[in-house]
């Protein structure tokens, strides 16, 4: 009689928990603006004051995964966890009066777990990054970060160049329009390292976010 105990032991999947950020990230991050993070995002490799938005406190060692379960989430963050196949980190914001022109910048690490074609990342992993920065850029429209204050309604993505596994790229989102509860964002995923052709575009997107009813008051109606 077969039993599960007779099956060969499965090898545990080990996630990358330590990494060395490229020098261009450390050089450019101070110019991206005020830190935008929630616990678990960047606590393992702080590049700035490490302050989190929304009144959250930094997590201590071993607490990053526990933060989510204690606050109602069921798993790890798709794009910001140390376990993410594609990890976005070190977001920085530069605000503009009236919301339009506010810019969010971050670094994206495409790990081996994001692979599709041999040596290259899945196109869906590029789209996920566009969705994430479009949402978080919209959360900044009032001049302060209000996490999860809206919902992505539309993301139109154009994939320009394939991404090699192991790549570190720069992602940028800018608010181009704000009308009532509707926020329009333009975003791009680009090479950040000058020697690799800084500014070369891998992906662009335009997104629409619908803010919650108690948030969506644009500058012209205040």
């Amino acid at each position: 009689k077969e039993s599960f105990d007779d099956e060969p032991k499965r090898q545990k999947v080990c996630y990358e928990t330590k990494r060395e950020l490229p020098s261009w990230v450390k050089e450019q991050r101070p110019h991206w603006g005020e830190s935008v993070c929630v616990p678990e995002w960047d606590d393992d490799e702080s590049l700035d004051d490490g302050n989190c938005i929304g009144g959250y406190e930094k997590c201590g060692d071993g607490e990053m995964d526990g933060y989510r379960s204690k606050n109602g989430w069921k798993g790890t963050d798709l794009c910001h966890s140390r376990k993410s196949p594609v990890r976005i980190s070190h977001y920085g914001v530069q605000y503009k009066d009236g919301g339009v022109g506010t810019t969010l910048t971050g670094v994206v690490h495409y790990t081996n777990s994001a692979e599709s074609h041999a040596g290259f990342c899945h196109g869906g992993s590029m789209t996920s990054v566009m969705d994430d920065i479009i949402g978080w850029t919209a959360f900044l429209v009032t001049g302060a970060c209000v996490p999860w204050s809206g919902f992505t309604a539309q993301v139109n993505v154009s994939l320009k160049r394939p991404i090699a596994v192991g790549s570190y790229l720069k992602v940028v989102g800018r608010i181009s329009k704000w009308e009532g509860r509707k926020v329009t964002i333009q975003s791009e995923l680009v090479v950040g390292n000058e020697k690799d052709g800084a500014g070369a575009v891998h992906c662009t997107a335009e997104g629409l976010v619908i803010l919650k009813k108690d948030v969506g008051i644009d500058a012209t109606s205040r």
Side-chain angles (χ1 to χ4, degrees):
K1 183 179 179 179
E2 292 183 346
S3 72
F4 291 111
D5 292 336
D6 296 328
E7 292 184 358
K9 299 295 184 183
R10 295 182 183 273
Q11 185 176 3
K12 276 191 173 181
V13 177
C14 296
Y15 297 98
E16 177 181 17
T17 56
K18 294 293 183 182
R19 60 180 183 173
E20 181 63 31
L21 289 170
S23 59
W24 67 264
V25 176
K26 301 175 183 179
E27 293 166 359
Q28 294 182 28
R29 176 58 190 86
H31 305 289
W32 295 350
E34 179 183 336
S35 176
V36 174
C37 70
V38 297
E40 90 164 332
W41 283 15
D42 303 335
D43 283 7
D44 59 323
E45 51 182 17
S46 178
L47 296 182
D48 45 41
D49 57 17
N51 290 329
C52 292
I53 47 81
Y56 299 115
E57 296 180 356
K58 280 175 61 65
C59 296
D61 291 342
E63 293 179 350
M64 281 179 268
D65 292 334
Y67 158 78
R68 291 181 66 83
S69 62
K70 291 176 183 176
N71 288 276
W73 281 278
K74 304 301 182 183
T76 56
D77 192 292
L78 176 66
C79 296
H80 293 277
S81 169
R82 291 174 296 169
K83 300 177 181 179
S84 300
V86 180
R87 181 182 178 185
I88 305 171
S89 60
H90 305 294
Y91 269 158
V93 57
Q94 294 182 334
Y95 292 103
K96 293 293 185 181
D97 291 341
V100 174
T102 292
T103 302
L104 183 65
T105 306
V107 59
V108 187
H109 181 199
Y110 282 86
T111 74
N112 292 351
S113 297
E115 190 172 37
S116 178
H117 290 277
F120 293 97
C121 295
H122 196 290
S125 65
M126 301 164 74
T127 304
S128 293
V129 170
M130 294 291 97
D131 186 6
D132 190 84
I133 195 164
I134 284 168
W136 279 95
T137 304
F139 299 162
L140 304 164
V141 71
T142 61
C145 187
V146 185
W148 300 285
S149 54
F151 305 92
T152 306
Q154 188 171 356
V155 180
N156 297 320
V157 181
S158 179
L159 307 181
K160 306 289 188 181
R161 304 173 54 179
I163 298 173
V165 296
S167 296
Y168 285 85
L169 300 174
K170 180 164 65 176
V171 63
V172 182
R174 298 181 184 86
I175 296 174
S176 58
K177 186 186 297 183
W178 181 18
E179 296 178 338
R181 294 172 58 200
K182 297 180 179 180
V183 184
T184 302
I185 296 93
Q186 309 292 328
S187 61
E188 59 182 5
L189 186 63
V190 302
V191 174
N193 189 0
E194 188 170 339
K195 72 177 183 179
D196 292 332
V201 179
H202 282 272
C203 179
T204 61
E206 179 179 78
L208 174 66
V209 173
I210 307 299
L211 300 176
K212 294 180 180 178
K213 290 182 179 180
D214 57 345
V215 179
I217 305 173
D218 66 22
T220 61
S221 61
R222 275 189 261 173

